Amino acid sequence: MAEASAKNGHPRARNGTSTDRSRIWGGIDLGGTKIEAVIVDARGEVLGRARHPTPVKGGPGEVVKELYGTLGEAAQTAGITPAKLAGVGVGAPGSVDANRGTLAHTGNVAGGWDAPYPLASDLGDLVGSKVVMGNDVQVAVAAEYKLGAGRNYRSVLGVWWGTGVGGGLVLNGVPWRGQGSAGEIGHMVVKPDGARCGCGRRGCLEAYAGRAAMELRARRAVKRGEKTILFKIMRDKKRTRLSSGVWAKALEEKDPLATRLVQRGVRMLGVTVASVINLLDVEAVVFGGGLGSRLGMPYVDRIADAMSPHLFMTGRRPAMHVAELGDLSGAIGAALLAGPQM
Amino acid sequence: MAEASAKNGHPRARNGTSTDRSRIWGGIDLGGTKIEAVIVDARGEVLGRARHPTPVKGGPGEVVKELYGTLGEAAQTAGITPAKLAGVGVGAPGSVDANRGTLAHTGNVAGGWDAPYPLASDLGDLVGSKVVMGNDVQVAVAAEYKLGAGRNYRSVLGVWWGTGVGGGLVLNGVPWRGQGSAGEIGHMVVKPDGARCGCGRRGCLEAYAGRAAMELRARRAVKRGEKTILFKIMRDKKRTRLSSGVWAKALEEKDPLATRLVQRGVRMLGVTVASVINLLDVEAVVFGGGLGSRLGMPYVDRIADAMSPHLFMTGRRPAMHVAELGDLSGAIGAALLAGPQM
């Protein structure tokens, strides 16, 4: 690698500065509403970042262009060009085929698509370096494991509490992906024959704790004549959806409907996480995602309380944390996927 | 090791016969009602076996004596003495501390005890070789993974369906024990605020599918005046409990109460196993234990049907198997714990 740099006319020491191509990586988090890109060094330090909205029209081609644009802007803030990157990682929702570098079923991405699209090779052609892909929540959990709230543990469950409820596992230092689709804690069954989930099934955790499911319930309650300040806050914040910030504000104001719905979500999260602990006995649980990060430790403590009656090993409970890398965990995790070995 | 054998006056080739001390191990499964011992060679082949009832009186000391007696008889059927063994493994219910070689909280063992007892060192003194310990279900699942129904997979969930519901995991070829207490699938919550479990908690899988819980329900139903042939079969078989054989017979005879209770257990097993698959995405599930082995594939198929509506990855379900090593999986797994590297 050092040799390659020398050939480019930029000889650098192996432990060189941020312009050494072999020592800088790009990471992109492709989200439903925004694309977040970072440039990191070998220690995972963020050297540059940028955020663009996810294109709502134009399909995969437009999304690839915007991924490249966001990465380019992040590179610029780091004082380099994308061509200097040793590799790029992309974290995405939907069905990621890491081996083929394709993305399919991106229902949560605006202007999404169903058939597998060769995102890695298309973006790789633009960037001029290797692009690898991973599941958005899994890479975020890996970032928290290596650099964030999970860094002091060998085995971590990550619970990404937002629009849906995603999960990621690191077991004895290694991300656990199963046959490629592990981590779907949001679709563990918390109540047989329970509420209808966005996935079409019944009784999933996400049908109780996901922000989308809670919004649906709130809208139904309003139709039934129940009072709430949730939608007033939404309009005040110029939102069209009940964002995490809207929920947080309504809880602060002790809105009874918001309190009841979040309490139910918290309880179901507690029951499900306790089940996972009884099965896997990991050392720590890290909560991220829009709601997890926004509601923070006071609500993680409530989840811990809801876990207590169900933990099989009495007198020992897992360490409970809020994600520390915030909005950047997905992008940093994607960059880690591309290169830095820590 | 070859040298040690030579010193004993029994020089053998390293890949020698069953009397080569370095190539034979003992395994003991300490159960609630019986002690099962085997002698195995380096390929896990069973060279000898014996079964004794678990002593109901005398506490840990008496249990250790009986473990040694059963092992001795198994050794005899293999044509050796316990002194020839390279090592001995013991699988036990309750709280096994593998590092300290102690066993505590053996509620399921007749004449059981609560405080940690140094079973490994006491038995080791009698046998004259190293004794290692493990959780009974975990070692049985490891045996199925290496030699039985799980041998064609890298990642396996074992569900031991009997008096209770135990679990064991092998992930990418390695038994997963978490911090020492992983695998408690029987105490995953299948219904919040659900039935009271034998463990004192509410809504555990075991409270629906465990044989003890089903017997409790059957007795209550009879008190309420419901008709069933379950207890007649029990008396005919000269049992005091509804054994797996009793349940199997009542199902054969289409007893409505037995059918209803087992159907409920099957459904809750399906829901819980589906949740585990959504979380871990392992390749295969192996069902053992008294009920799992006795009811066999027709009931494993019913569990698979109950899983279907909850599997997140449509079009792909884990391979479903019945344990192949039968009553010996625990003892063979315990022996594998002691030595043979396969």
Side-chain angles (χ1 to χ4, degrees), chain A residues 155 176 179-184 187 189-190 192-193 201 267 275 278-282 310-314 316, chain B residues 155 176 179-181 183-184 187 189-190 192-193 201 267 275 278-282 310-314 316:
Chain A
S155 298
W176 178 256
Q179 297 177 80
S181 305
E184 292 293 352
H187 301 283
V189 183
V190 68
D193 290 327
R201 296 175 192 83
R267 172 150 182 269
S275 286
N278 292 346
L279 180 72
L280 294 178
D281 195 21
V282 295
H310 295 294
L311 289 175
F312 189 70
M313 288 298 286
T314 48
R316 160 149 76 79
Chain B
S155 298
W176 178 258
Q179 297 176 80
S181 305
E184 293 293 351
H187 300 283
V189 183
V190 69
D193 290 327
R201 296 174 190 82
R267 176 152 179 267
S275 285
N278 292 345
L279 181 71
L280 294 179
D281 195 21
V282 295
H310 295 292
L311 289 174
F312 189 70
M313 288 298 285
T314 48
R316 160 149 75 79

Side-chain angles (χ1 to χ4, degrees), chain B residues 309-330:
Chain B
H310 295 292
L311 289 174
F312 189 70
M313 288 298 285
T314 48
R316 160 149 75 79
R317 78 173 206 200
M320 303 279 284
H321 293 277
V322 176
E324 288 179 5
L325 305 175
D327 284 350
L328 293 186
S329 59

Side-chain angles (χ1 to χ4, degrees), chain A residues 18-19 24 39-40 46-49 72-81:
Chain A
S18 60
T19 50
I24 326 173
I39 308 297
V40 306
V46 175
L47 308 174
R49 56 179 289 193
E73 193 183 315
Q76 206 172 18
T77 69
I80 60 155
T81 65

Side-chain angles (χ1 to χ4, degrees), chain B residues 115-152:
Chain B
Y117 184 86
L119 196 143
S121 65
D122 272 23
L123 181 61
D125 288 347
L126 290 174
V127 180
S129 74
K130 190 171 167 56
V131 173
V132 293
M133 297 190 61
N135 172 276
D136 55 348
V137 175
Q138 280 171 5
V139 301
V141 173
E144 289 292 334
Y145 167 76
K146 286 194 175 165
L147 301 167
R151 66 185 172 279
N152 295 323

Side-chain angles (χ1 to χ4, degrees), chain A residues 57-310:
Chain A
K57 285 179 189 168
E62 206 56 42
V63 167
V64 169
K65 263 194 244 171
E66 202 58 37
L67 291 173
Y68 182 62
T70 316
L71 184 69
E73 193 183 315
Q76 206 172 18
T77 69
I80 60 155
T81 65
K84 299 279 179 199
L85 298 171
V88 174
V90 178
S95 300
V96 172
D97 185 325
N99 292 328
R100 294 188 179 150
T102 61
L103 177 61
H105 307 297
T106 58
N108 288 341
V109 174
W113 59 90
D114 275 334
Y117 185 85
L119 196 144
S121 65
D122 272 26
L123 181 60
D125 288 346
L126 290 174
V127 180
S129 74
K130 191 172 167 58
V131 173
V132 293
M133 296 189 61
N135 172 276
D136 55 349
V137 175
Q138 280 171 4
V139 301
V141 172
E144 288 292 335
Y145 167 76
K146 286 193 175 167
L147 302 167
R151 66 185 172 278
N152 295 325
Y153 310 99
R154 294 287 298 159
S155 298
V156 172
L157 165 69
V159 180
W160 253 233
W161 183 23
T163 309
V165 181
L169 283 164
V170 178
L171 300 178
N172 204 19
V174 182
W176 178 256
R177 299 194 184 93
Q179 297 177 80
S181 305
E184 292 293 352
I185 192 174
H187 301 283
M188 292 180 76
V189 183
V190 68
K191 196 168 175 181
D193 290 327
R196 181 71 70 182
C197 183
C199 73
R201 296 175 192 83
R202 277 197 176 280
C204 302
L205 168 62
E206 188 166 301
Y208 296 91
R211 199 171 50 203
M214 294 200 304
E215 173 165 345
L216 196 66
R217 275 169 201 261
R219 289 186 187 274
R220 281 194 198 135
V222 168
K223 271 196 188 154
R224 285 196 313 265
E226 202 166 336
K227 300 285 178 222
T228 176
I229 57 168
L230 274 165
F231 297 97
K232 181 185 178 309
I233 299 172
M234 180 187 84
R235 288 185 298 271
D236 289 351
K237 285 180 178 275
K238 305 205 188 313
R239 300 288 188 140
T240 56
R241 291 276 158 208
L242 299 181
S243 63
S244 298
V246 171
W247 285 101
K249 178 78 177 157
L251 291 173
E252 259 175 52
E253 307 268 335
K254 302 195 192 310
D255 179 68
L257 179 65
T259 303
R260 199 178 73 230
L261 290 175
V262 171
Q263 263 172 357
R264 169 148 61 175
V266 160
R267 172 150 182 269
M268 293 309 204
L269 278 164
V271 166
T272 308
V273 173
S275 286
V276 174
I277 295 300
N278 292 346
L279 180 72
L280 294 178
D281 195 21
V282 295
E283 299 162 80
V285 187
V286 176
F287 290 85
L291 275 169
S293 296
R294 190 63 174 248
L295 300 182
M297 213 53 215
Y299 281 81
V300 168
D301 285 339
R302 289 174 199 213
I303 294 169
D305 288 343
M307 286 165 63
S308 285
H310 295 294

Side-chain angles (χ1 to χ4, degrees), chain B:
Chain B
M1 297 291 237
E3 204 186 349
S5 299
K7 277 184 190 162
N8 291 335
H10 298 290
R12 302 280 170 190
R14 274 194 69 85
N15 55 354
T17 69
S18 62
T19 50
D20 177 349
R21 183 189 162 105
S22 70
R23 309 289 288 171
I24 326 173
W25 291 266
I28 311 177
D29 184 17
L30 168 56
T33 55
K34 63 184 195 316
I35 294 167
E36 188 94 49
V38 295
I39 308 296
V40 305
D41 67 14
R43 288 165 308 153
E45 200 82 25
V46 175
L47 308 174
R49 56 179 290 192
R51 178 192 289 188
H52 287 188
T54 306
V56 294
K57 284 179 190 169
E62 206 56 42
V63 167
V64 169
K65 263 194 244 171
E66 204 57 39
L67 292 173
Y68 182 61
T70 316
L71 183 70
E73 193 183 314
Q76 205 172 19
T77 69
I80 61 156
T81 65
K84 299 279 179 197
L85 299 171
V88 175
V90 178
S95 300
V96 172
D97 185 327
N99 293 329
R100 294 189 181 150
T102 61
L103 177 61
H105 307 297
T106 58
N108 288 340
V109 174
W113 58 90
D114 275 335
Y117 184 86
L119 196 143
S121 65
D122 272 23
L123 181 61
D125 288 347
L126 290 174
V127 180
S129 74
K130 190 171 167 56
V131 173
V132 293
M133 297 190 61
N135 172 276
D136 55 348
V137 175
Q138 280 171 5
V139 301
V141 173
E144 289 292 334
Y145 167 76
K146 286 194 175 165
L147 301 167
R151 66 185 172 279
N152 295 323
Y153 310 99
R154 294 287 296 159
S155 298
V156 172
L157 166 68
V159 180
W160 252 234
W161 182 21
T163 309
V165 181
L169 284 164
V170 178
L171 299 179
N172 203 19
V174 181
W176 178 258
R177 300 196 183 91
Q179 297 176 80
S181 305
E184 293 293 351
I185 191 173
H187 300 283
M188 291 180 76
V189 183
V190 69
K191 196 169 177 182
D193 290 327
R196 180 71 70 183
C197 183
C199 74
R201 296 174 190 82
R202 277 197 176 279
C204 302
L205 168 60
E206 189 166 299
Y208 296 91
R211 200 173 48 205
M214 293 198 306
E215 174 167 342
L216 195 67
R217 275 169 202 262
R219 289 186 187 274
R220 281 193 199 137
V222 169
K223 272 197 187 154
R224 284 195 313 266
E226 203 166 335
K227 299 286 178 222
T228 176
I229 57 169
L230 273 166
F231 297 97
K232 181 184 178 309
I233 299 171
M234 180 186 85
R235 287 185 298 271
D236 290 351
K237 285 179 177 276
K238 305 206 188 312
R239 301 289 188 139
T240 55
R241 290 276 159 205
L242 298 181
S243 64
S244 297
V246 171
W247 284 100
K249 179 77 175 158
L251 291 173
E252 258 173 54
E253 307 269 334
K254 302 195 191 311
D255 178 68
L257 179 65
T259 304
R260 199 177 74 229
L261 290 175
V262 171
Q263 265 173 355
R264 170 150 58 175
V266 160
R267 176 152 179 267
M268 294 309 206
L269 279 163
V271 166
T272 308
V273 173
S275 285
V276 174
I277 295 300
N278 292 345
L279 181 71
L280 294 179
D281 195 21
V282 295
E283 299 163 80
V285 187
V286 176
F287 290 85
L291 276 169
S293 296
R294 190 64 174 248
L295 301 181
M297 213 53 214
Y299 281 80
V300 168
D301 285 340
R302 288 174 200 210
I303 294 170
D305 289 344
M307 287 165 62
S308 284
H310 295 292
L311 289 174
F312 189 70
M313 288 298 285
T314 48
R316 160 149 75 79
R317 78 173 206 200
M320 303 279 284
H321 293 277
V322 176
E324 288 179 5
L325 305 175
D327 284 350
L328 293 186
S329 59
I332 294 173
L336 295 182
L337 198 63
Q341 297 302 317
M342 281 173 291

